[in-house]
Amino acid sequence: MHVLVTGAAGFIGYHLTARLLADGHSVVGIDNCNDYYDVQLKKDRLSQLAALPQAGHFRFEALDLADGPGMAALFAREGFSHVVNLAAQAGVRYSLINPESYLSANLVGFGHILEGCRQNKVGHLLFASSSSVYGLNTAQPYSVQHNVDHPVSLYAATKKSNELMAHAYSHLYGMPCTGLRFFTVYGPWGRPDMALHLFTTAIVRGEPIKVFNQGHMRRDFTYIDDIVEGVVRLLPLAPGPDPSFDPAAPNAATSSAPWRIYNIGNNQTVELNDFIAALEDALGMKARKEMLPMQPGDVQATWADINDLTTLTGFAPSTPLREGIARFVDWYKEYYKI
Ligand SMILES: NC(=O)c1ccc[n+]([C@@H]2O[C@H](COP(=O)([O-])OP(=O)(O)OC[C@H]3O[C@@H](n4cnc5c(N)ncnc54)[C@H](O)[C@@H]3O)[C@@H](O)[C@H]2O)c1
């Protein structure tokens, strides 16, 4: 496969690129390396990719998804067989602070991805959606069969919009598209704006950690290798029209168009307080907790129903939380020289 990975300097994009190269594919990675979080971490991920034995099959280009002519030229030049769109303005809370960046990357940028795939007949587009699209839904575990029409953050609304935009292109142009709702991804080279990284930094510095909703939030924490495995398994499986799709009683996860939605989560929901306890054990240090109320835009609990993913691919994430946290802590200590 000749694959475009957008957001290749990002957390998931870096890991996916390394895996695709190891599997023998050629990859073009793009990223605008913006300063939403530490740019050096993004550069260091790219340096890791450049040092891989298969680096000859990887090319990186600094490019913004919102650059229409640049994106069109890239697609026309490369003739990608597959595209994985991971570049986005991520983060729920930041979407209350800088909404503009979400409109540009997640809506305008995603429109350019769709156009590039359409004009150049890309065989399969996979794109990152998010567990946050479940918004006000409380039925657990979250199923792709549920309707998700009540987002509680602009971030979630842009991700749901991506699913809808992709459906329209899939219907109109027969473009195979798969949307992936990732559930709280963690692991080595993880994002400094996410809880695991923030908590670790605070604990090793002896500073208090901010624990929202008194620690009674629940998350389906998913280890990075499990996310990558799910993506790699789905990549060659371009969907076709679903013959069982009934427009009179539409299943939210499928369509008469070659379009599907999958959850990729660990299928276990863990209370934040237990997550913190696991991190304390891995570090051998105690956290000082500053208990705070629920944050606007956050959801109380996430838990992924992964039946559709497992039925299609035979794969289910399996990394135990404590093992994944220990691997993160090992990486953190080495990277930050602690
Ligand atoms: N990490 C999670 O827990 C999680 C959960 C659900 C969904 N997701 C989604 O998965 C994808 C990857 O997430 P991640 O955790 O690797 O985040 P990340 O921020 O580490 O990676 C995204 C990358 O995209 C780049 N980018 C942002 N805007 C861009 C633009 N306009 N043009 C080009 N590059 C741009 C950033 O520089 C960054 O390197 C995102 O779409 C995110 O919304 C992540």
Side-chain angles (χ1 to χ4, degrees):
M1 298 184 222
H2 184 45
V3 188
L4 170 64
V5 176
T6 74
F11 171 37
I12 302 173
Y14 154 69
H15 284 280
L16 177 68
T17 300
R19 170 68 187 271
L20 290 172
L21 291 171
D23 287 354
H25 305 295
S26 65
V27 180
V28 173
I30 64 167
D31 202 298
N32 68 359
C33 293
N34 65 43
D35 64 359
Y36 166 61
Y37 63 74
D38 184 14
V39 176
Q40 190 57 45
L41 180 59
K42 296 181 181 182
K43 288 184 179 162
D44 289 342
R45 293 185 187 123
L46 291 174
S47 302
Q48 293 284 313
L49 292 174
L52 290 173
Q54 311 87 354
H57 299 282
F58 176 62
R59 194 170 66 74
F60 175 75
E61 209 170 295
L63 185 60
D64 195 312
L65 292 192
D67 173 357
M71 291 292 290
L74 173 78
F75 270 93
R77 202 166 55 232
E78 293 288 341
F80 298 114
S81 63
H82 295 73
V83 171
V84 185
N85 185 56
L86 299 171
Q89 180 56 58
V92 167
R93 290 171 198 154
Y94 189 62
S95 67
L96 283 74
I97 297 165
N98 184 2
E100 192 69 31
S101 61
Y102 291 77
L103 304 180
S104 166
N106 303 10
L107 298 180
V108 175
F110 190 69
H112 294 154
I113 293 285
L114 290 173
E115 268 304 299
C117 291
R118 170 198 173 194
Q119 301 290 350
N120 299 280
K121 309 217 175 329
V122 168
H124 191 190
L125 165 65
L126 284 95
F127 61 95
S129 181
S130 165
S131 58
S132 64
V133 300
Y134 289 96
L136 285 181
N137 293 19
T138 54
Q140 298 273 1
Y142 287 154
S143 164
V144 286
Q145 324 275 329
H146 299 160
N147 283 324
V148 288
D149 295 325
H150 301 90
V152 296
S153 67
L154 179 66
Y155 169 66
T158 63
K159 290 293 179 180
K160 168 72 180 175
S161 303
N162 288 173
E163 296 179 359
L164 298 173
M165 291 161 78
H167 186 271
Y169 267 65
S170 179
H171 170 77
L172 287 170
Y173 310 116
M175 246 172 66
C177 295
T178 301
L180 306 170
R181 294 178 185 160
F182 299 144
F183 281 65
T184 317
V185 190
Y186 74 99
W189 298 94
R191 268 169 43 201
D193 63 318
M194 292 185 68
L196 182 57
H197 204 292
L198 291 169
F199 288 172
T200 304
T201 302
I203 292 170
V204 299
R205 290 181 184 165
E207 294 168 358
I209 63 170
K210 291 190 166 96
V211 183
F212 296 110
N213 199 29
Q214 320 295 323
H216 298 312
M217 310 220 286
R218 302 187 74 91
R219 288 290 178 273
D220 195 335
F221 294 99
T222 313
Y223 190 64
I224 181 65
D225 291 1
D226 288 326
I227 292 287
V228 167
E229 185 66 32
V231 174
V232 163
R233 297 246 191 156
L234 286 165
L235 199 54
L237 304 177
D242 178 357
S244 68
F245 180 75
D246 177 4
N251 174 345
T254 176
S255 177
S256 52
W259 173 97
R260 295 291 186 283
I261 297 292
Y262 296 97
N263 285 337
I264 309 188
N266 202 38
N267 189 222
Q268 281 176 15
T269 186
V270 175
E271 192 176 274
L272 188 55
N273 281 323
D274 295 332
F275 180 76
I276 294 167
L279 175 59
E280 289 175 328
D281 289 348
L283 283 168
M285 299 170 87
K286 281 282 172 205
R288 284 167 51 207
K289 297 182 190 173
E290 184 187 348
M291 294 300 188
L292 294 166
M294 185 91 167
Q295 287 274 289
D298 266 356
V299 300
Q300 186 93 27
T302 70
W303 177 16
D305 173 335
I306 53 165
N307 283 336
D308 285 15
L309 174 74
T310 306
T311 302
L312 181 70
T313 64
F315 171 68
S318 61
T319 309
L321 183 72
R322 284 182 173 264
E323 194 177 311
I325 288 183
R327 285 190 220 156
F328 170 81
V329 167
D330 286 348
W331 167 78
Y332 186 97
K333 286 180 173 168
E334 195 187 327
Y335 183 74
Y336 292 103
K337 301 189 175 38
I338 288 167

